Structure formats: C-alpha cells, structure tokens
Amino acid sequence: MTMIVTKELSKTYHDNEVLKGIDLEVRQGEIVVLLGPSGSGKSTLLRCLNGLETLTKGAIEINGVRLEAGMKNRAFKNNLLNIRKQTGMVFQQFNLYPHKTALGNVIESLLIVKKMPRAQAEQLGMKMLERVGLADKRDAYPSKLSGGQQQRVAIARALAMEPDILLFDEPTSALDPELVGEVLDVMRMLAREEGMTMLVVTHEMSFARNVANRVLFMDGGVIVEENDPETFFGQPKTERAQRFLNKINQH
C-alpha cells in the first residue's frame, strides 16, 4: 500500500525554486532516508508533506488524502487537518515547552487536538515515554534533560498522536556526538518493531546504511539518485552522488 505520493511537487520562495518537480512514492512500512548537501531541498520536501509549506506546483497524497497547489477552499482545510493527524514530525530543534514536564509535553496535543480526557492522555503519554526509555523522567522539565533525552521526548510526543507516518528532519544534528546514539536507537526500534513508515533527513550514514530500505539522494531541488543502501553506498550511479560520498568518507 502506498502511503506517500508526490506528483511534480515544486516549491519556490521568492525567485528561488527549492523543489523542482519531485515525483516520489513511499510504501507502507518503508524507511526512506534522504541524503544530500545543505540546501538541496530535503527539509523543504518534508515540510511540504506535513503541510507546513504550501505547494507552488503539483500535488501530494498522504494515505489517500490529497493536497494540490492552489487549493484554498474548505476541502483544503479538511484535507490539511487530516494529513497532519496522520503524519508526526520530529524536528532538528526539540521545540519542547520549557514550563511543562516531559509528560506534559507529550500529552499537550492529545488534550488540545484530540480533546482526550487528561487521565487517558496521561496513560497514553506514559506508554510513549516508556517506549523511548524515559518513563522515569515523566516529571522532569526540559532544562533538566540532556539533548538526547529532550529529542526522545519529542519523538514520544509525535508517537502519542498515533500517526501512520513519521517525518524526521535531521533529528540528531543539534546533539552532542555522544548523545546521537540514543536517539538513533529509538528510531531503529520504531523501524524494527512498529513497521512505521518513516522519511528521514539525516547525515548519519550508518543509520542510512543499516536501517533504510531506500536511499534518495537530492541535489539542487531534484532527486538525483535512488537505490537500496547497499547499491547506493557501494556503487553510486551518478558522479554527483560519488562526489558527495567521497567528501563524507574523508571526514
């Protein structure tokens, strides 16, 4: 079953065309990693899929719900809401409320968006904190958590909405190197145990190599190359991807 479709998706800011006619399909349970240099359009693509950016041209379809460029009516609002309910997003910055505990952050959208009774929300919130290994931090405020723990709370918050698709926008790039592993471990667990459909923008090559079903390499607003990880890392087809991998291997 296809969960994500984009058709000729384009996004322009002022005169800068950041995405240039992206065609993409992601199947249910697939883990797709987006690689590419900064400014290649990876994060913009995720933001379009979650409705955080409007489409300049083309269309997206998330689990059968369609958004087209230029849609402005009530159907657009309903479809946008529907898409946001089905897609959880984890950002580079954790965006936690500093005045709320770990549990408070996780249940906030359950109370406001899903209008869930507090007792039920707290029960679900605790289950999600357990899944990311932070049940013991339920009453801790963000200032008392490490960066890795804050990002795991952010993942628990996204999971609490029970989405069908998780979008990760460089979830480890704001972390100290020694904290990266704990966040990647949670993502690996979700990939392995949940059968969650995941689209991940990352610079973590080991994650791309070991966890992804497919690697998409973007540059200049287009998908330059896509393949399974073994082929992409072992025998990249395009010169642009070869240059990118050589540069990374030098570091």
Side-chain angles (χ1 to χ4, degrees):
M1 184 176 156
T2 305
M3 294 297 280
I4 300 173
V5 180
T6 72
K7 291 212 168 92
E8 295 180 5
L9 168 61
S10 297
K11 177 65 186 174
T12 304
Y13 298 103
H14 311 300
D15 296 334
N16 181 19
E17 196 178 13
V18 183
L19 295 176
K20 302 172 182 173
I22 300 280
D23 290 323
L24 172 64
E25 282 196 19
V26 179
R27 292 183 302 282
Q28 188 171 17
E30 205 177 6
I31 315 293
V32 177
V33 168
L34 296 170
L35 300 178
S38 296
S40 57
K42 307 181 299 292
S43 295
T44 304
L45 175 56
L46 288 197
R47 293 174 69 85
C48 286
L49 292 175
N50 200 25
L52 290 171
E53 298 287 355
T54 54
L55 318 179
T56 307
K57 286 186 201 144
I60 64 167
E61 215 169 276
I62 305 290
N63 206 2
V65 182
R66 190 175 171 87
L67 282 187
E68 291 175 27
M71 266 173 102
K72 278 284 184 285
N73 49 16
R74 183 174 290 169
F76 171 79
K77 272 192 168 157
N78 289 342
N79 287 7
L80 181 60
L81 200 63
N82 205 330
I83 280 173
R84 287 201 175 144
K85 279 181 180 164
Q86 299 187 64
T87 52
M89 184 121 176
V90 178
F91 299 90
Q92 190 171 345
Q93 304 299 340
F94 326 122
N95 300 339
L96 298 181
Y97 294 112
H99 60 288
K100 289 187 183 292
T101 61
L103 183 60
N105 270 283
V106 171
I107 66 171
E108 179 77 359
S109 48
L110 294 175
L111 298 173
I112 291 172
V113 180
K114 289 201 167 176
K115 309 270 191 285
M116 201 178 266
R118 179 168 284 272
Q120 192 187 341
E122 287 187 351
Q123 199 179 358
L124 181 57
M126 278 309 297
K127 198 169 124 191
M128 298 307 153
L129 283 175
E130 267 166 38
R131 272 167 71 183
V132 300
L134 289 175
D136 60 326
K137 299 290 184 192
R138 59 169 287 165
D139 298 322
Y141 288 89
S143 61
K144 295 284 184 273
L145 298 172
S146 72
Q149 289 169 333
Q150 288 185 61
Q151 189 60 295
R152 281 151 63 198
V153 171
I155 294 172
R157 175 180 61 187
L159 288 171
M161 294 298 282
E162 300 179 310
D164 298 310
I165 297 165
L166 275 181
L167 307 172
F168 289 90
D169 190 7
E170 302 200 19
T172 58
S173 61
L175 298 177
D176 293 335
E178 69 269 22
L179 301 177
V180 167
E182 65 188 73
V183 173
L184 291 179
D185 283 345
V186 168
M187 292 167 68
R188 285 191 189 100
M189 177 271 293
L190 292 174
R192 198 172 53 238
E193 295 172 16
E194 305 295 326
M196 182 77 74
T197 307
M198 285 162 52
L199 212 53
V200 183
V201 173
T202 186
H203 295 292
E204 297 297 328
M205 295 301 142
S206 65
F207 181 84
R209 205 184 276 263
N210 301 325
V211 183
N213 303 110
R214 230 183 342 148
V215 173
L216 302 185
F217 177 71
M218 288 184 71
D219 192 28
V222 296
I223 296 171
V224 178
E225 185 167 339
E226 64 175 289
N227 225 318
D228 62 274
E230 199 178 332
T231 310
F232 177 78
F233 286 106
Q235 299 165 309
K237 296 196 293 270
T238 58
E239 191 205 334
R240 183 65 195 90
Q242 284 166 10
R243 282 208 314 272
F244 176 79
L245 290 171
N246 287 342
K247 211 169 194 176
I248 279 168
N249 292 335
Q250 283 162 17
H251 290 304

